[in-house]
Amino acid sequence: MLGTWGKSAGASWLAIFAAVAFVRADLASSEFRFDRDTFAFANQTVFEYHQGHASLRKSSGTKKDAYNRHCFVMSRTAAQFKKFARFDPRSAPLDDASLAARVRDVTRQPAWSQALPENQRIVFPGYKDLKEMSKARREVVQLSIGHGWPSYFRISNARMMFQDGAGYQEKTHGHLNAALARGELFVAFLTTYPRFSINHSVLVYKLKSSSPNPGIDRYLVYDPNHPESPRELMWSAHDRAFSYQKDWDFVGGFVRVYQVYGKPLQ
């Protein structure tokens, strides 16, 4: 009797342990990770920068094959791959034409749609993640994710002229936190219009767990200009404003944030 009970209890504990391990593994795979879910190549800037200040590039320093003006496309596509694609490193890689077709299949999915279940996702064999594939097949990926120039003519870009107040930024801050709380990603348009010290798109993927300053929220960001490490976006409740970290391509400080690809025509 006791032996039977002991075996049953042991089996129950094993089942519970297995279930917990499965949930943890599933959560780990569903989280956006910078070292896995971003592109290995950079979006190159049109201008040359010195301590965040832009100047025209010298003609001799401009490459004919420069990959620039793709920050919106890269931010959107990183989110689409996270929601609609999966990788199978144990299988043989596709040829260039087949790989290009599958990349386009991913980018044709509405970015605001719900993530697909694993068994319905578009499969990319031969690689463990987007970072590895975009490094090994850079040119194919770059040519297949879409053109950058249509980003300049997005209807929603007009918000920077008509919805530039602190009230709209507070609403955006609320939408950002709500999206991250649901486990979603948030593609953001950053601008300082009318100054244009930044006119850029990034992917916000995580609210940092703690901040030493009350009223300050800090977010981890994938910036297509910086494939080497995450950047930081900050919200100040006191200032009712966002700010973006200083880097070689931005002086740092105040930015306006607008969500893009969160719904049709956004």
Side-chain angles (χ1 to χ4, degrees):
M1 182 85 174
L2 287 173
T4 303
W5 181 87
K7 289 180 181 178
S8 298
S12 298
W13 279 110
L14 284 173
I16 293 171
F17 177 81
V20 171
F22 176 80
V23 170
R24 286 180 176 175
D26 188 57
L27 287 174
S29 64
S30 65
E31 290 179 352
F32 187 93
R33 277 178 32 193
F34 188 91
D35 63 343
R36 178 187 66 192
D37 300 317
T38 61
F39 293 101
F41 53 82
N43 173 65
Q44 300 171 22
T45 57
V46 176
F47 297 102
E48 188 173 306
Y49 287 84
H50 300 279
Q51 298 184 345
H53 298 282
S55 61
L56 293 175
R57 289 187 182 276
K58 298 177 181 178
S59 57
S60 59
T62 303
K63 295 182 179 180
K64 292 182 179 179
D65 61 345
Y67 191 75
N68 51 36
R69 299 184 179 91
H70 282 78
C71 58
F72 279 83
V73 173
M74 292 173 67
S75 296
R76 183 209 69 210
T77 306
Q80 289 171 310
F81 261 86
K82 188 61 184 167
K83 296 171 73 172
F84 310 124
R86 66 180 177 89
F87 294 85
D88 178 11
R90 294 177 297 277
S91 300
L94 300 170
D95 59 66
D96 285 356
S98 298
L99 177 59
R102 291 204 188 180
V103 171
R104 289 193 292 269
D105 285 342
V106 171
T107 61
R108 290 186 182 118
Q109 303 290 322
W112 51 86
S113 297
Q114 292 294 317
L116 293 174
E118 285 293 308
N119 62 354
Q120 295 180 23
R121 290 178 175 235
I122 299 161
V123 181
F124 290 86
Y127 306 98
K128 63 181 180 181
D129 51 41
L130 180 59
K131 180 78 80 172
E132 182 179 63
M133 187 178 78
S134 61
K135 180 178 181 180
R137 309 291 288 277
R138 176 181 60 83
E139 186 173 355
V140 176
V141 173
Q142 287 180 340
L143 291 173
S144 304
I145 64 175
H147 297 291
W149 62 264
S151 302
Y152 290 94
F153 303 99
R154 294 179 52 80
I155 295 174
S156 65
N157 291 354
R159 288 176 294 172
M160 65 184 174
M161 294 181 283
F162 304 113
Q163 295 177 317
D164 57 354
Y168 189 84
Q169 291 301 287
E170 283 185 315
K171 291 181 181 178
T172 301
H173 173 245
H175 293 326
L176 170 57
N177 281 348
L180 296 179
R182 293 191 299 267
E184 298 175 2
L185 301 171
F186 189 98
V187 183
F189 169 34
L190 311 183
T191 183
T192 52
Y193 177 85
R195 291 177 54 233
F196 285 127
S197 54
I198 189 169
N199 190 46
H200 190 40
S201 181
V202 301
L203 178 62
V204 187
Y205 64 90
K206 186 175 182 179
L207 171 64
K208 286 189 173 182
S209 58
S210 62
S211 174
N213 301 317
I216 300 293
D217 287 339
R218 298 178 184 274
Y219 303 89
L220 290 177
V221 167
Y222 162 54
D223 185 328
N225 290 3
H226 300 277
E228 67 279 2
S229 62
R231 269 31 190 180
E232 185 178 270
L233 179 71
M234 186 176 75
W235 167 262
S236 169
H238 178 268
D239 297 330
R240 302 169 68 202
F242 288 97
S243 61
Y244 196 50
Q245 79 172 70
K246 181 179 180 180
D247 220 309
W248 59 263
D249 54 349
F250 180 54
V251 294
F254 170 80
V255 292
R256 292 188 186 90
V257 175
Y258 300 91
Q259 184 179 16
V260 289
Y261 306 114
K263 57 185 177 181
L265 300 180
Q266 188 180 60

